[in-house]
Amino acid sequence: MTSSTGAPAQKLMLIDSASLYFRAFHGVPESITAPDGTPVNAVRGFLDSIAHLLTTHRPTRLVACWDDDWRPAFRVEALPSYKAHRVAPDGGEEAPDLLLPQVDVIVDVLAALGLTRVGAPGYEADDVMATLTVRSKDPVDVVTGDRDLFQLVDDDLGVRVVYCGKGVRKADLVDQPWLHTKYRVSTGQAYADMAVLRGDPSDGLPGVPGIGEKTAAALVDRYGDLAALLAAADDPTTGLSPGQRRKLLDARDYLTAASVVVNTARDVPLPDLDDTLPREPVDLDALGALVHRWGIQSSVERVLTALVQSRD
């Protein structure tokens, strides 16, 4: 695709890196190893995913977004149950022992390739992605397996989610019509409000007892947003049933706290980034050493081929 001037149309791709490497680790057999027998299944799967995304969606810019803090203090302060069930004994995130060393390899390979990677102290990758989305003047593809990021979808701004819940090769392209068909909500923000009401056990969000996904979507659609819904709960003449009013009023403190947790920060202090896809690896010697050490030649070659094709 080209612009009216004949130059390639610009498009930014934001990668939810942890989402991709966790899925790669669980989706690629641990029998995929380096020459010394060390598992590199997450490394190979992550790089193969990047190659597929570049080839399929043809971005001109890319940022691998990082969880510098997977459980930020401001979210835990708002809702102590946030991700509490995923805290390891050492206080970090519970993760497979065989995955953690591979994350360091992924970091090194991205650096040698020249693919931009960024995180921010005190913030999750979700917040980094949201901030970069707001900053971008170009269309944005947000790549993730996390439904929370559906809140970024905005057809007017050209922001969609490449949702990899079933894998990168079976990704759904989430725009506003898709959200309406799937969840009966009309905007990304409406999805976030619905998610607060519904809850998400995987993140430690209990939701409002007695209000499931369909009811939550119908309430958000009817009243517009969570703030208006809570205002309606205060007024017995607004059409809510007595049971719904009581459930919402009883859950007011939760709803206020969960909104802080679910809604992404969009003002993360990030440096200016050169996120243009590289024409060639920035450190060929380092990349060669990594390929030799970890036995990842075929996956790296697929990424390099995809980078060349992205410039055509």
Side-chain angles (χ1 to χ4, degrees), residues 108-139:
D108 291 341
V109 174
L110 289 173
L113 285 167
L115 293 174
T116 302
R117 183 182 70 88
V118 68
Y123 293 96
E124 298 178 64
D126 290 16
D127 303 310
V128 173
M129 299 170 85
T131 298
L132 292 175
T133 295
V134 170
R135 285 187 182 184
S136 180
K137 297 178 181 179
D138 300 320

Coordinates of all heavy atoms in Angstrom, one line a residue, residues 108-139:
D108 N 18.2 -9.7 23.6 CA 19.5 -9.5 22.8 C 19.3 -9.6 21.3 O 19.9 -8.8 20.6 CB 20.5 -10.6 23.3 CG 21.0 -10.4 24.7 OD1 20.9 -9.3 25.2 OD2 21.5 -11.4 25.3
V109 N 18.4 -10.5 20.9 CA 18.2 -10.6 19.4 C 17.5 -9.4 18.9 O 17.8 -8.9 17.8 CB 17.3 -11.9 19.1 CG1 17.0 -12.0 17.7 CG2 18.1 -13.1 19.5
L110 N 16.5 -8.9 19.6 CA 15.8 -7.6 19.2 C 16.8 -6.5 19.0 O 16.8 -5.7 18.0 CB 14.7 -7.2 20.2 CG 13.5 -8.1 20.2 CD1 12.5 -7.7 21.3 CD2 12.7 -8.1 18.9
A111 N 17.7 -6.4 20.0 CA 18.7 -5.3 19.9 C 19.7 -5.5 18.7 O 20.0 -4.5 18.0 CB 19.5 -5.3 21.2
A112 N 20.1 -6.7 18.5 CA 21.0 -6.9 17.4 C 20.3 -6.7 16.0 O 20.9 -6.2 15.1 CB 21.6 -8.4 17.4
L113 N 19.0 -7.0 15.9 CA 18.3 -6.8 14.7 C 18.0 -5.3 14.5 O 17.9 -4.9 13.4 CB 16.9 -7.5 14.8 CG 16.9 -9.1 14.6 CD1 15.6 -9.7 15.0 CD2 17.3 -9.4 13.1
G114 N 17.9 -4.6 15.6 CA 17.6 -3.2 15.5 C 16.1 -2.9 15.6 O 15.6 -1.8 15.1
L115 N 15.4 -3.8 16.1 CA 13.9 -3.6 16.3 C 13.8 -2.9 17.7 O 14.3 -3.4 18.7 CB 13.2 -5.0 16.3 CG 13.2 -5.7 15.0 CD1 12.5 -7.1 15.1 CD2 12.4 -4.9 13.9
T116 N 13.0 -1.9 17.7 CA 12.8 -1.0 18.9 C 12.1 -1.7 20.0 O 11.0 -2.4 19.7 CB 12.1 0.3 18.5 OG1 12.8 0.9 17.5 CG2 12.0 1.2 19.7
R117 N 12.6 -1.6 21.2 CA 12.0 -2.2 22.4 C 11.9 -1.1 23.4 O 12.9 -0.4 23.7 CB 12.8 -3.4 22.9 CG 12.2 -4.1 24.1 CD 13.1 -5.3 24.5 NE 14.3 -4.8 25.1 CZ 14.4 -4.5 26.4 NH1 13.4 -4.7 27.2 NH2 15.6 -4.1 26.9
V118 N 10.8 -1.0 24.1 CA 10.7 0.0 25.2 C 9.7 -0.4 26.3 O 8.7 -1.1 26.0 CB 10.2 1.4 24.6 CG1 8.8 1.3 24.0 CG2 10.4 2.5 25.5
G119 N 10.1 -0.1 27.5 CA 9.2 -0.2 28.6 C 9.3 1.0 29.5 O 10.1 2.0 29.1
A120 N 8.7 1.1 30.6 CA 8.8 2.3 31.5 C 8.6 1.8 32.9 O 7.7 1.1 33.2 CB 7.7 3.3 31.1
P121 N 9.5 2.2 33.8 CA 9.4 1.9 35.2 C 8.0 2.3 35.8 O 7.6 3.4 35.6 CB 10.5 2.7 35.9 CG 11.5 3.0 34.8 CD 10.7 3.1 33.6
G122 N 7.4 1.3 36.5 CA 6.1 1.6 37.1 C 4.9 1.4 36.2 O 3.8 1.7 36.7
Y123 N 5.1 0.9 35.0 CA 4.0 0.7 34.1 C 4.1 -0.6 33.4 O 5.2 -1.2 33.2 CB 4.0 1.8 33.0 CG 3.7 3.2 33.6 CD1 4.8 4.1 33.9 CD2 2.4 3.6 33.8 CE1 4.5 5.3 34.4 CE2 2.2 4.9 34.3 CZ 3.2 5.7 34.6 OH 2.9 7.0 35.1
E124 N 3.0 -1.1 32.9 CA 2.9 -2.3 32.2 C 3.0 -2.0 30.7 O 2.9 -0.9 30.2 CB 1.5 -3.0 32.4 CG 1.3 -3.5 33.8 CD 0.0 -4.1 34.0 OE1 -0.3 -5.2 33.5 OE2 -0.8 -3.6 34.8
A125 N 3.3 -3.1 29.9 CA 3.3 -2.9 28.4 C 2.0 -2.3 27.9 O 2.0 -1.5 26.9 CB 3.6 -4.2 27.8
D126 N 0.9 -2.7 28.5 CA -0.4 -2.1 28.1 C -0.4 -0.6 28.1 O -0.9 0.0 27.2 CB -1.5 -2.6 29.0 CG -1.8 -4.1 28.9 OD1 -1.0 -4.8 28.3 OD2 -2.9 -4.5 29.4
D127 N 0.2 0.0 29.1 CA 0.2 1.4 29.3 C 1.2 2.0 28.2 O 0.9 3.1 27.7 CB 0.7 1.8 30.7 CG -0.2 1.2 31.8 OD1 -1.4 1.3 31.7 OD2 0.4 0.6 32.7
V128 N 2.3 1.3 28.0 CA 3.2 1.8 26.9 C 2.5 1.8 25.6 O 2.6 2.7 24.8 CB 4.5 0.9 26.9 CG1 5.4 1.2 25.7 CG2 5.2 1.0 28.2
M129 N 1.8 0.7 25.3 CA 1.1 0.6 24.0 C 0.0 1.7 23.9 O -0.1 2.3 22.8 CB 0.5 -0.8 23.9 CG 1.6 -1.9 23.9 SD 0.9 -3.5 24.0 CE 0.5 -3.9 22.3
A130 N -0.7 1.9 25.0 CA -1.7 3.0 24.9 C -1.1 4.3 24.7 O -1.7 5.1 23.9 CB -2.5 2.9 26.2
T131 N 0.0 4.6 25.3 CA 0.6 5.9 25.2 C 1.1 6.1 23.7 O 1.0 7.2 23.1 CB 1.8 6.1 26.2 OG1 1.2 6.0 27.5 CG2 2.5 7.4 26.0
L132 N 1.8 5.1 23.2 CA 2.3 5.2 21.8 C 1.1 5.2 20.8 O 1.3 5.9 19.8 CB 3.2 4.0 21.5 CG 4.5 3.9 22.3 CD1 5.2 2.6 22.0 CD2 5.4 5.1 21.9
T133 N 0.0 4.6 21.1 CA -1.2 4.7 20.3 C -1.7 6.1 20.2 O -2.0 6.7 19.1 CB -2.3 3.8 20.7 OG1 -1.8 2.4 20.6 CG2 -3.5 3.9 19.9
V134 N -1.8 6.8 21.4 CA -2.2 8.2 21.4 C -1.3 9.1 20.7 O -1.7 10.0 20.0 CB -2.4 8.6 22.9 CG1 -2.6 10.1 23.0 CG2 -3.5 7.8 23.6
R135 N 0.0 8.8 20.8 CA 1.0 9.7 20.2 C 1.0 9.5 18.6 O 1.4 10.5 17.9 CB 2.4 9.3 20.7 CG 2.8 9.7 22.0 CD 4.3 9.4 22.3 NE 4.7 9.8 23.6 CZ 6.0 9.6 24.0 NH1 6.9 9.2 23.1 NH2 6.4 9.9 25.2
S136 N 0.6 8.4 18.1 CA 0.9 8.1 16.7 C -0.1 8.9 15.8 O -1.3 9.0 16.1 CB 0.6 6.6 16.4 OG 0.8 6.3 15.1
K137 N 0.5 9.4 14.8 CA -0.3 10.1 13.7 C -0.6 9.1 12.6 O -1.3 9.5 11.6 CB 0.5 11.3 13.2 CG 0.7 12.3 14.2 CD 1.5 13.5 13.7 CE 1.8 14.6 14.7 NZ 2.6 15.7 14.2
D138 N -0.1 7.9 12.7 CA -0.3 6.9 11.6 C -1.3 5.8 12.2 O -1.5 5.7 13.4 CB 1.0 6.2 11.2 CG 2.0 7.2 10.7 OD1 1.6 8.1 9.9 OD2 3.2 7.1 11.0
P139 N -1.9 5.0 11.3 CA -2.7 3.9 11.8 C -1.9 3.0 12.6 O -0.7 2.9 12.5 CB -3.1 3.2 10.5 CG -3.1 4.3 9.4 CD -1.9 5.2 9.8

